[in-house]
Amino acid sequence: MNVGALLERTASFQGARPALAIGQNTVATYAEMRDQARHLAGGLVDELGLVPGDRCGIAMTNTPEIMVVMFACWYANIAAVPMNAKLHRREFAYILENCGARACFLNGKLGDTLMGLEREVASLAHLINVDEPTYTHLLEASPRELADAAPEDPAWLFYTSGTTGRPKGATLSHRNLVSMTMNYFCDVDTVNEKDAWIHSAPMTHGSGLYGVPFVARGALQVVPESGGFEPGETLDLISHYEGASFFFAPTMIVRLLEDPRIATANTSNLKTIVYGGGPMYVEDTLRALDRLGPKLVQIYGQGEAPMTITGLTREMHIDTGHPRYLERLGSVGPARTDVEVRIVDENDKPVPVGGIGEIVLRGDVVMQGYWENPEANARTLAGGWLHTGDLGALDEEGFVTLKDRSKDMIISGGTNIYPREVEEVLLQHPQVLEVSVIGKPHPEWGEDVLAYVVPTAGAELSEAELDALCLEHIARFKRPKHYRFIESLPKNNYGKVLKTELRAQLEAETNEEVHRG
């Protein structure tokens, strides 16, 4: 099934329903959205020369056009490649070159950021700014009917950074996205045509993925006028839209709760906050339940298994009579309906109940593999199970609790940051001998990036020059917010840097500061 059929079906019998809005203003009905997707699909094929199986980049901040471009790609059986709008130009170039993208849509200031990129990426023939006449011209092309697509055909390439420092393209098929959509209805929430899915989080990530189930049910997609998350604007949209639902990183929930306007805001229209992408502390969960009511659903997933591994349902959040209620709130819940989850040891053997091991899973939601990366596929999909790289434990009731991130991933504001990628950039400085990057706890963002740097003998390094190096090569949000200049890194007998000791040292420093305060 082509995932684009979800829009075709909705437009056929709910065509007059509002489909896309900016703030409180509707900009397209479902019939209009379907027509735009059909015409743009015709433009991709007839004007730009793309063919089924090609890849098309999406480098855009939140805007309704993202939904149109994605569905246009699917109408033409072209794989959409949405990318984080905060990436560095070099990171955009790498992704587009790696997947062999023929075209890329962009908007706003990204037009300046990516100008001329088609001269640097061999496969890239077209850069289309949706704010310019070129896009309007494509919308005037002859419409195309929905293409046939095999279930395993690529629909979305989800680029996720890896421990090698280079992002890998998790290839999500039409089957994967349809499975994710069905799982939303089964395990997350019901949706009807009167609901509104508000894109306060990036549409090129989880919020956009979960926009698909709302298209399937004819609900409204709303892009805030700010293009992102502002607590006051969020409260205004909740008061305006019946059945308002969101995908939030835990830090966004905390920011909403800490806004002074929440005390008097009318949140009766709030239907659901689906949260994930980072740790949610039990105390914050209880605060949110107390102020917002039974509106929370937690999901644990990865780009390789979009939004679907385990979850805590609305009912689990409010089951205060359960003897292990608080312990459950500290978990990521049981396996979702259509996946199998195991905890395994280093030999892929299941560990006993309560034992700690790697979280692995299988099911129709698991990616086809990483784009043209057979070595990574052999490791990550060994034995037919997706190896998440996360360590966890499974209790006797099937609830999974995350224990650690075996890949040392840092999560800041719900965004994944991989230390190796930052370390490799810092090591380009001729006066940096060694470096190790870890996450430093932050009350609002979850974690900040902290770099322990060993300078070469006699060198006098400054934070400013290291910042400049990072800003030249990677996105701003990935650069370290803190530096520690030290004489040597702690290592074991094999020369491996012991990040556990760095974290222990940081914790001791933090406790000492608290004690002095």
Side-chain angles (χ1 to χ4, degrees):
M1 176 183 180
N2 186 325
V3 69
L6 299 176
L7 172 59
E8 187 71 21
R9 173 183 175 276
T10 295
S12 67
F13 73 96
Q14 292 178 295
R17 293 289 309 170
L20 302 172
I22 299 176
Q24 299 181 12
N25 301 308
T26 299
V27 296
T29 64
Y30 269 99
E32 291 167 339
M33 179 181 169
R34 188 258 314 270
D35 288 346
Q36 290 177 30
R38 283 177 170 178
H39 282 277
L40 186 56
L44 289 171
V45 175
D46 299 330
E47 300 288 332
L48 304 186
L50 274 66
V51 298
D54 276 345
R55 279 74 60 202
C56 179
I58 300 175
M60 299 165 72
T61 55
N62 281 3
T63 176
E65 281 80 10
I66 288 180
M67 299 302 297
V68 175
V69 172
M70 285 199 303
F71 275 92
C73 288
W74 297 334
Y75 264 75
N77 196 13
I78 291 166
V81 189
M83 296 172 285
N84 187 333
K86 296 180 181 179
L87 292 178
H88 191 279
R89 177 187 174 92
R90 294 186 182 187
E91 294 169 309
F92 282 118
Y94 174 80
I95 291 172
L96 293 169
E97 185 171 10
N98 181 258
C99 72
R102 297 277 310 285
C104 180
F105 287 84
L106 47 88
N107 70 337
K109 295 181 179 179
L110 286 166
D112 296 330
T113 301
L114 303 183
M115 183 181 298
L117 199 63
E118 69 273 27
R119 294 191 293 272
E120 301 172 23
V121 177
S123 64
L124 190 62
H126 308 281
L127 278 177
I128 305 101
N129 191 325
V130 300
D131 300 323
E132 296 179 353
T134 305
Y135 178 71
T136 305
H137 175 71
L138 291 176
L139 290 175
E140 296 171 350
S142 298
R144 292 188 71 85
E145 297 299 317
L146 185 69
D148 288 332
E152 64 274 11
D153 284 350
W156 179 315
L157 266 61
F158 193 110
Y159 271 82
T160 176
S161 296
T163 55
T164 62
R166 288 293 197 180
K168 301 189 293 291
T171 304
L172 305 179
S173 67
H174 289 269
R175 175 187 282 120
N176 294 150
L177 295 187
V178 171
S179 178
M180 176 204 72
T181 299
M182 297 299 104
N183 185 277
Y184 188 95
F185 302 139
C186 187
D187 289 337
V188 179
D189 205 8
T190 58
V191 180
N192 65 59
E193 69 276 6
K194 294 182 179 180
D195 290 338
W197 182 248
I198 302 176
H199 292 285
S200 296
M203 296 173 71
T204 53
H205 199 267
S207 191
L209 282 165
Y210 267 175
V212 177
F214 281 73
V215 169
R217 286 290 181 263
L220 179 64
Q221 312 267 329
V222 181
V223 176
E225 289 188 9
S226 69
F229 175 71
E230 296 291 342
E233 181 182 33
T234 298
L235 292 172
D236 289 341
L237 291 172
I238 289 172
S239 67
H240 181 77
Y241 286 111
E242 179 183 347
S245 296
F246 303 81
F247 174 71
F248 278 179
T251 54
M252 296 166 69
I253 297 178
V254 172
R255 287 180 62 192
L256 186 67
L257 294 175
E258 292 181 349
D259 190 282
R261 287 163 289 190
I262 193 72
T264 56
N266 179 1
T267 57
S268 58
N269 277 345
L270 177 63
K271 182 177 181 182
T272 306
I273 294 177
V274 183
Y275 67 94
M280 180 74 165
Y281 300 108
V282 172
E283 183 177 346
D284 291 332
T285 304
L286 293 172
R287 277 204 301 148
L289 291 169
D290 180 62
R291 177 59 190 88
L292 303 174
K295 309 294 179 71
L296 301 183
V297 177
Q298 181 186 180
I299 62 102
Y300 163 54
Q302 294 186 328
E304 294 87 343
M307 315 296 278
T308 313
I309 298 178
T310 67
L312 279 174
T313 65
R314 189 190 311 267
E315 292 73 24
M316 292 170 186
H317 276 86
I318 58 175
D319 187 13
T320 56
H322 194 280
R324 297 170 58 231
Y325 171 64
L326 294 180
E327 186 177 339
R328 279 183 162 191
L329 283 188
S331 77
V332 291
R336 304 278 280 277
T337 298
D338 55 348
V339 297
E340 297 176 74
V341 173
R342 289 180 179 175
I343 309 295
V344 300
D345 61 20
E346 61 275 10
N347 298 313
D348 278 355
K349 302 298 183 183
V351 303
V353 171
I356 298 174
E358 184 176 11
I359 301 169
V360 301
L361 68 139
R362 63 184 178 185
D364 280 349
V365 77
V366 173
M367 67 172 181
Q368 303 296 291
Y370 294 117
W371 183 260
E372 295 187 348
N373 197 334
E375 291 183 4
N377 291 338
R379 294 191 304 269
T380 305
L381 298 173
W385 293 77
L386 172 65
H387 290 64
T388 66
D390 290 331
L391 300 179
L394 190 68
D395 69 16
E396 62 273 11
E397 295 179 312
F399 282 65
V400 175
T401 298
L402 293 176
K403 297 297 184 180
D404 199 358
R405 296 186 293 277
S406 62
K407 298 174 182 176
D408 294 320
M409 183 173 67
I410 297 169
I411 301 179
S412 182
T415 300
N416 297 347
I417 301 172
Y418 290 83
R420 174 79 175 268
E421 186 177 9
V422 183
E423 290 162 356
E424 288 183 348
V425 170
L426 292 173
L427 286 168
Q428 293 180 29
H429 195 291
Q431 293 179 319
V432 171
L433 180 63
E434 292 182 309
V435 64
S436 185
V437 170
I438 65 171
K440 182 179 187 294
H442 187 281
E444 182 177 354
W445 301 110
E447 292 178 300
D448 272 343
V449 180
L450 166 62
Y452 285 90
V453 179
V454 179
T456 57
E460 293 185 6
L461 283 170
S462 71
E463 295 185 9
E465 60 189 299
L466 294 179
D467 268 351
L469 180 64
C470 288
L471 292 174
E472 183 183 351
H473 292 277
I474 55 177
R476 179 174 294 271
F477 69 87
K478 297 180 182 179
R479 68 183 175 89
K481 302 298 188 296
H482 312 275
Y483 293 88
R484 299 280 194 278
F485 295 99
I486 58 178
E487 293 184 359
S488 63
L489 294 172
K491 300 173 184 175
N492 64 14
N493 293 333
Y494 300 98
K496 181 179 179 181
V497 175
L498 297 173
K499 292 194 176 188
T500 52
E501 290 195 13
L502 291 176
R503 295 189 186 101
Q505 178 182 327
L506 176 63
E507 183 177 3
E509 293 173 2
T510 303
N511 291 337
E512 184 178 343
E513 290 174 2
V514 172
H515 181 70
R516 286 200 306 265

